[in-house]
Amino acid sequence: MPLVTSIIQKIAPQIGAVVVVDPEYELVGHITFKNGKKSFFSTTKLNINGFGSAEIAKDKGYSKFFLKHFGYHVTEGQTFFNQKLCKKIGNERDIDAGFEYAKFIGFPVIIKPINLSQGKLVTKIHNKTEYYQVAKKILRANAGLIIERFYLGKDYRIVVIDDEIIAAYQRLPLSVIGDGKSNVTELIQRKQDGFIQNLGKKIIDVDDFRIKRKLQKQSLNLNSVIPNGKVVYLLDNANLSSGGEAVDVTENIHPDFQKLALNVTKDMGLRLMGLDIITQDITRPMVDYVIIEVNGSPGLTHYASIGDIQTKRVEDLYLKVLKALETEYNSKN
């Protein structure tokens, strides 16, 4: 059973709520609160954020515009579109204009779909050939893409509910650790087996073109035997849903970054938010940072898999979400 579904079923009785879940996939459900309020949920999405704010958060281009408007440091980048949309909206920012922009800000750049989640197709691009290969893949699956400057630093997510920081963690890209005997394919399979055992599903897409490309950059391939103890990164993006790992820093997040996350949540009109940033060290005073994106329905399955403390934090988060939904109903009646 998916984590959010199981947590909601577990905690709902604590506030007298009744949950009905679809029996086939267990991804969507209906909550009836003790006061009569009714609410649906779908995977990680609950009715905690207003529709408009949730839609803006989902669109990377729009959310970046408003974040910049509010005075926050955001990744430098622009949106570009497929031919069909360019023609429809009378815009010349097509795939070729995207390449010119990438050259202008300087390789390497990050290229990502406008509104796909979980790190899908997010790729670090080094040259013209790579750009067109990846841009075409994205524009076949998505109406638009974003090209962003590449920033050095550590990748963090801060999770907020209303005026409270629930969790903060560093995100590390998908990697394998050599044992001196196994090749990369075998190491990936071993890691995949761990995901299946702990999370109940496959996480790594072994056919992901980005893995082979990342290995090539390191003069490796899927048949390479990795020396004992050597860490080999297989992706550039650090999304946990792509197989990345989390290092919990909740207890050590500096107040500067706590304040940043709380202010962004308010300014974006959200109640529940995951703030993804790049900075040198989130446990020290804030010298510099850049916001990658905001997420109105942050997935926390992988964070919860770290241990019991993290699982408890995620359960507490969703209990607060349910109570907030119930309270919101009371305030309107």
Side-chain angles (χ1 to χ4, degrees), residues 67-83:
L67 286 165
K68 190 174 182 179
H69 169 76
F70 293 132
Y72 298 107
H73 300 167
V74 298
T75 51
E76 181 182 349
Q78 281 191 11
T79 52
F80 300 88
F81 311 100
N82 62 21
Q83 288 291 347

Side-chain angles (χ1 to χ4, degrees), residues 2-4 6-7 159 167 169 198-199 240 245-248 298-318:
L3 178 74
V4 174
S6 64
I7 286 178
V159 181
Y169 50 94
N198 295 325
L199 301 173
L240 303 192
E245 297 180 25
V247 178
D248 200 337
L300 295 168
T301 300
H302 301 81
Y303 171 74
S305 71
I306 295 177
D308 294 340
I309 292 174
Q310 289 74 22
T311 299
K312 181 65 166 58
R313 285 190 184 129
V314 176
E315 289 179 357
D316 289 345
L317 167 65
Y318 282 105

Side-chain angles (χ1 to χ4, degrees), residues 175-232:
S175 65
V176 291
I177 302 175
D179 60 7
K181 299 176 290 184
S182 306
N183 64 27
V184 174
T185 298
E186 293 166 333
L187 294 172
I188 290 175
Q189 187 55 55
R190 205 170 298 158
K191 193 143 197 172
Q192 186 85 286
D193 292 342
F195 286 132
I196 294 171
Q197 182 177 350
N198 295 325
L199 301 173
K201 61 180 178 178
K202 293 181 178 180
I203 297 297
I204 305 170
D205 178 3
V206 294
D207 297 320
D208 191 330
F209 73 96
R210 297 174 298 175
I211 292 178
K212 292 179 181 177
R213 177 171 291 165
K214 182 68 173 174
L215 288 169
Q216 288 172 357
K217 296 285 182 190
Q218 302 169 81
S219 300
L220 299 170
N221 59 51
L222 291 170
N223 295 317
S224 300
V225 175
I226 307 302
N228 187 44
K230 180 178 174 61
V231 177
V232 174

Side-chain angles (χ1 to χ4, degrees), residues 234-284:
L234 303 177
L235 292 174
D236 288 306
N237 64 300
N239 297 71
L240 303 192
S241 48
S242 301
E245 297 180 25
V247 178
D248 200 337
V249 293
T250 306
E251 300 296 330
N252 301 313
I253 179 173
H254 193 275
D256 288 355
F257 288 101
Q258 293 183 30
K259 184 178 179 181
L260 172 71
L262 294 173
N263 287 342
V264 170
T265 307
K266 289 187 178 71
D267 284 338
M268 293 300 290
L270 297 167
R271 298 187 66 184
L272 170 64
M273 185 195 72
L275 176 67
D276 298 340
I277 65 171
I278 292 176
T279 190
Q280 292 304 313
D281 189 346
I282 204 172
T283 68
R284 300 178 67 82

